[in-house]
Amino acid sequence: MASEEELFASVDALLEEEPQLPPPAERARLREAAGITQARLAAALKTSTQTVKNYENGRSEPKSPRLEAYQRLLNGWAARFPGAHGAPTATPAPVAAPQPQVSQTFTGPAAPAASEAETAAPVEASAAPIAPERPARPAARPATSSRRPAAKKAAKPAVDPRFPHGPLAVLDGDGSAYTTDGVVLDCPAATVVELVEWTLRESGLGAAKLNRFGKDSDPLVVLTAEAAVKFGLPELLEGHEQRRSLRLPENHPVVKQVAKAKWQLTQRGFGPWARIYRKAQGRDRQCVQLAILSWDALDERSWPGVSEMEPADVARVLGVYAQRVITPRGSTAVSGLELMTAMRPPTKAVRDEETGNWVSGLNPGSLGTEPMDPAPPEATAEHPVVVNSGWSGGFLNEEAYQWVRSVDSLTHEECSLPYAVGLDLNTAFLAAAARLVVGLSAPDHFHAPAFNPKIPGSWLVDLSHIEMDSRLPSPFTPTGERPTGPAWYQTHTVAYAQELGYDVHPIEAYLRRETGAYLDPWHDRLKTAYVDTLADLGVTRDLDDAAFLAAMEQHKQADPALAAVLAAIKATVKGGVGKLRERPQGKSYKEGETWPALQRPTWRPDIRAAVISKARVNMHRKLNNMVKMTGLYPLAVLSDCVVYPSPGDSPLAFLPYAASGKPQPGGFRLGPTPGLAKVEGVQEMAWAVDLMEKGLNPARHIKGGDAVLDEGE
């Protein structure tokens, strides 16, 4: 048996251990019982309000000497405001039986376990059931983490031992770095340079490459407004005419600090998305990506509501995006383009036959490492290829639809229908990218070639003799008007004319000998991300059409954070396609000069034209099939949105179904996958006719606002 001396020594050892705090929910209860706000408590503890929130929701714990001060305060409150049993609750609660873990859509921690006072408090028989207390949160910012059934939870990828804390962190002003898995790291950095070095040496942030021939993703640190100010950065970045040109001047103290420490900035400088790097040492990259929230790094159109979320929730949103798409490298457009390269790296290691050494070689199916000049009709008017050659032969005009049917063509029966229903195709550009064969080599010029629908390129063809029903848009022009003479078309447009039964005789063409489905892995990853995120929001593939429409009405409210991820995925598709033909920026640019985007192998306007051409052809094919199956003609089309007159306020009132109840193939079909349709909006038919009479497009406004055309820019 242990002696008294041994027992006393053991007890003394326990007394000397680090002070213990009550459970997070009890901390919030005690503060609220005392009538103290989180801001006032933060002032007393000499910390930030966000840190107090973290203490009360279990995301972080105080360290000495703040730990002892906080414990003393809680002990005092516990004596004055005992728990449900009338006894102080500030002492550690007995260990309860293990609680079942709550499944979460995000990869953050499960909800804090209820305190003993919450689980053991008796409920009077006459009283209504008492909901357990939740961690206190500010009223203006509702909780955004989603708890959903385990069956809908995405499989969590294995943790790479090199990056134990995930791809990114959101850093607050008190040094708390919120990671994607719910861990809060303590970042001691006081300058941007120290932050970069801490990120690379101690944070454990980063992500493994998406392709075995690719590169690991550099760690991303997102700064809140408070963190930006702490590092000597302005809270807001102003003074420039264009948002995309925002950056700190070269004489700013922080920019000087970075240069003095032998770090470098990319050409875009220190802006909302700043990349700070040194030349790689061997195979180890030395690069950190910063994003400043208060400088609009997360654009509201692409990331709705995210900039207003708490740091931990921002980390979760970006973490889901990074897991399913890619670690953000800039705007969603930039990330969309980066994903193409990450999925199809330009080079791989190959063995030199002469020396036997491994050297860098071209990765088949990629776009290579060198930029490629487009054919003149594929370029833009200001491109050096056009200006220097004096080209005047016209350009590809493969753009998304902007078409409104003539009011004069409306019948009395159509005008008598009560509703106009807008259908929107899910990620139409992504659907068009599936199995899309594009050119990989430089264009070659041909005169009077025979048309081959399997060869990607640009064809000069006269399609003006093809007459279409005036109640449908022409498939050959974005305006829907009939062509007036020879014009340049991408392969898919010419192939569709042939599909409709017309002879085509190209006058000349610019074609590419090497071809491949370059966008396939990009498409597959984004499609999976889109479908999985919709499923997490309750919109799954197994729903029938009525259930699908009901789920789509509620999906954004089901989880605003995941809804923001979904919006970012859609913006990644559109922006990535647009970046393939990025135009020059700035008033100082002069025609014929090069601009930075031309230095990228991914500056490929012909690939952009192929995606948009195929998307527009896909839309027209559905419009044509709808006429054959239902006799219905559209009122207007705007990119991937089409408006139909309808006898009911739902597409179920006019979409074609077989006798078995299954949707007819070939027309518009409802569903959550790319290329299938959802409701864009419903208005009265009189409203749509009124807009048409004014020359306006009902498809632009049917959602209740002014829709932005998906031009892929």
Side-chain angles (χ1 to χ4, degrees):
M1 179 178 291
S3 66
E4 179 180 280
E5 185 177 8
E6 290 173 331
L7 291 172
F8 272 65
S10 298
V11 170
D12 288 340
L14 289 175
L15 290 173
E16 291 173 3
E17 286 185 3
E18 185 174 335
Q20 299 295 308
L21 298 175
E26 177 65 8
R27 303 171 200 174
R29 186 195 73 80
L30 290 170
R31 176 185 55 75
E32 291 170 352
I36 302 298
T37 65
Q38 290 177 324
R40 188 174 174 189
L41 176 56
L45 294 176
K46 302 294 189 290
T47 187
S48 69
T49 303
Q50 180 61 51
T51 299
V52 171
K53 296 175 186 176
N54 299 339
Y55 295 166
E56 293 184 357
N57 59 29
R59 288 179 180 148
S60 67
E61 298 290 336
K63 299 180 176 63
S64 291
R66 190 171 288 122
L67 172 63
E68 291 78 4
Y70 191 33
Q71 185 198 45
R72 180 174 179 177
L73 177 62
L74 293 174
N75 285 340
W77 281 341
R80 292 169 55 193
F81 310 106
H85 297 286
T89 57
T91 54
V95 177
Q99 299 293 318
Q101 186 173 3
V102 180
S103 173
Q104 293 183 310
T105 298
F106 291 109
T107 55
S115 67
E116 182 187 29
E118 292 169 331
T119 56
V123 179
E124 295 182 7
S126 60
I130 300 175
E133 283 190 78
R134 300 180 69 83
R137 296 184 64 90
R141 294 182 179 181
T144 55
S145 59
S146 169
R147 294 171 176 81
R148 306 195 61 81
K152 293 181 180 179
K153 181 178 179 182
K156 188 174 181 178
V159 176
D160 190 313
R162 298 171 300 158
F163 312 117
H165 294 130
L168 57 92
V170 180
L171 183 62
D172 207 356
D174 65 351
S176 298
Y178 298 84
T179 66
T180 59
D181 58 1
V183 173
V184 181
L185 306 177
D186 184 16
C187 176
T191 66
V192 167
V193 170
E194 290 177 1
L195 172 62
V196 170
E197 293 174 348
W198 172 83
T199 302
L200 292 174
R201 297 174 185 173
E202 302 178 39
S203 71
L205 297 175
K209 55 194 174 186
L210 298 179
N211 181 288
R212 64 192 180 110
F213 300 128
K215 299 175 182 177
D216 294 333
S217 289
D218 299 316
L220 166 63
V221 179
V222 181
L223 305 182
T224 66
E226 294 82 1
V229 171
K230 172 185 175 181
F231 291 129
L233 301 169
E235 182 174 351
L236 300 175
L237 192 58
E238 300 174 339
H240 293 267
E241 296 176 358
Q242 291 188 346
R243 194 181 74 83
R244 71 180 66 202
S245 67
L246 291 175
R247 65 187 66 189
L248 292 178
E250 293 185 4
N251 61 356
H252 190 278
V254 171
V255 177
K256 290 183 176 180
Q257 288 173 13
V258 170
K260 185 177 180 180
K262 308 299 184 185
W263 290 95
Q264 299 179 34
L265 293 164
T266 57
Q267 288 185 347
R268 59 183 174 182
F270 206 119
W273 291 88
R275 290 184 67 76
I276 302 177
Y277 71 98
R278 283 177 180 157
K279 290 185 178 180
Q281 296 180 348
R283 299 179 63 181
D284 295 329
R285 290 169 58 82
Q286 298 185 86
C287 184
V288 174
Q289 177 79 61
L290 300 182
I292 295 89
L293 287 177
S294 58
W295 295 4
D296 292 330
L298 299 181
D299 181 79
E300 178 67 18
R301 294 169 299 178
S302 301
W303 300 94
V306 177
S307 61
E308 298 300 318
M309 292 180 182
E310 300 294 342
D313 293 323
V314 175
R316 290 191 184 98
V317 170
L318 295 180
V320 173
Y321 180 88
Q323 175 192 332
R324 295 182 176 179
V325 182
I326 193 173
T327 304
R329 288 274 303 266
S331 67
T332 48
V334 169
S335 297
L337 198 68
E338 291 287 342
L339 181 63
M340 293 182 194
T341 303
M343 299 304 292
R344 289 272 199 195
T347 61
K348 69 174 185 177
V350 296
R351 187 182 293 277
D352 187 305
E353 295 294 337
E354 295 183 0
T355 65
N357 296 329
W358 289 95
V359 297
S360 179
L362 178 67
N363 183 22
S366 75
L367 298 182
T369 59
E370 297 298 322
M372 184 182 299
D373 280 339
E378 298 167 347
T380 57
E382 66 270 24
H383 195 284
V385 163
V386 174
V387 175
N388 295 338
S389 67
W391 173 262
S392 59
F395 300 95
L396 279 176
N397 189 24
E398 299 288 12
E399 303 295 340
Y401 268 133
Q402 292 189 74
W403 173 80
V404 181
R405 183 174 155 193
S406 169
V407 177
D408 296 337
S409 68
L410 294 176
T411 66
H412 175 72
E413 289 76 13
E414 288 175 318
C415 292
S416 299
L417 293 173
Y419 296 103
V421 176
L423 290 176
D424 177 74
L425 296 183
N426 302 321
T427 55
F429 289 171
L430 185 61
R435 315 301 171 247
L436 175 67
V437 176
V438 300
L440 301 178
S441 56
D444 291 321
H445 191 197
F446 298 88
H447 291 279
F451 177 68
N452 187 335
K454 295 183 178 180
I455 300 178
S458 303
W459 310 78
L460 181 62
V461 188
D462 189 350
L463 302 178
S464 61
H465 62 284
I466 301 178
E467 187 172 355
M468 307 292 294
D469 192 310
S470 63
R471 292 170 291 181
L472 288 176
S474 166
F476 311 125
T477 64
T479 62
E481 298 175 353
R482 183 175 174 175
T484 57
W488 289 96
Y489 301 99
Q490 201 276 334
T491 298
H492 281 88
T493 304
V494 184
Y496 188 57
Q498 198 174 63
E499 178 184 323
L500 292 173
Y502 297 96
D503 289 333
V504 292
H505 302 284
I507 302 167
E508 58 180 305
Y510 286 90
L511 309 176
R512 288 171 165 79
R513 299 179 187 275
E514 295 180 25
T515 64
Y518 170 72
L519 293 175
D520 263 9
W522 181 81
H523 161 272
D524 293 348
R525 185 166 177 85
L526 284 169
K527 177 183 177 180
T528 300
Y530 180 82
V531 172
D532 286 353
T533 306
L534 260 183
D536 285 340
L537 288 166
V539 187
T540 56
R541 300 191 198 198
D542 58 349
L543 299 176
D544 62 31
D545 284 0
F548 167 75
L549 292 175
M552 286 300 296
E553 286 184 2
Q554 301 296 326
H555 79 284
K556 292 183 180 180
Q557 290 73 35
D559 190 327
L562 267 184
V565 175
L566 187 69
I569 292 170
K570 292 189 287 187
T572 301
V573 173
K574 298 170 187 174
V577 172
K579 278 284 185 180
L580 293 168
R581 196 193 68 171
E582 185 176 357
R583 307 293 284 268
Q585 308 296 330
K587 291 183 177 180
S588 61
Y589 175 77
K590 297 180 181 178
E591 281 194 354
E593 295 178 348
T594 61
W595 58 93
L598 299 188
Q599 304 307 311
R600 299 192 313 249
T602 49
W603 196 87
R604 291 293 301 273
D606 57 302
I607 296 180
R608 173 187 177 273
V611 172
I612 298 178
S613 167
K614 186 178 175 184
R616 197 181 67 246
V617 164
N618 286 347
M619 171 65 82
H620 193 276
R621 187 180 289 113
K622 288 178 174 22
L623 298 174
N624 217 14
N625 288 338
M626 284 288 288
V627 173
K628 297 175 183 177
M629 291 186 284
T630 69
L632 285 176
Y633 291 86
L635 302 178
V637 183
L638 183 76
S639 187
D640 49 11
C641 176
V642 56
V643 179
Y644 274 101
S646 172
D649 61 355
S650 166
L652 299 178
F654 65 87
L655 288 180
Y657 290 87
S660 63
K662 292 185 178 181
Q664 291 277 27
F668 293 100
R669 296 175 57 189
L670 300 174
T673 54
L676 297 187
K678 59 182 179 292
V679 174
E680 177 73 0
V682 180
Q683 301 286 349
E684 293 182 354
M685 182 64 180
W687 168 91
V689 174
D690 182 58
L691 286 184
M692 295 167 69
E693 288 176 340
K694 295 176 181 177
L696 301 176
N697 191 325
R700 185 182 295 277
H701 306 282
I702 198 163
K703 196 173 183 177
D706 190 6
V708 178
L709 178 66
D710 298 335
E711 293 181 326
E713 290 289 6

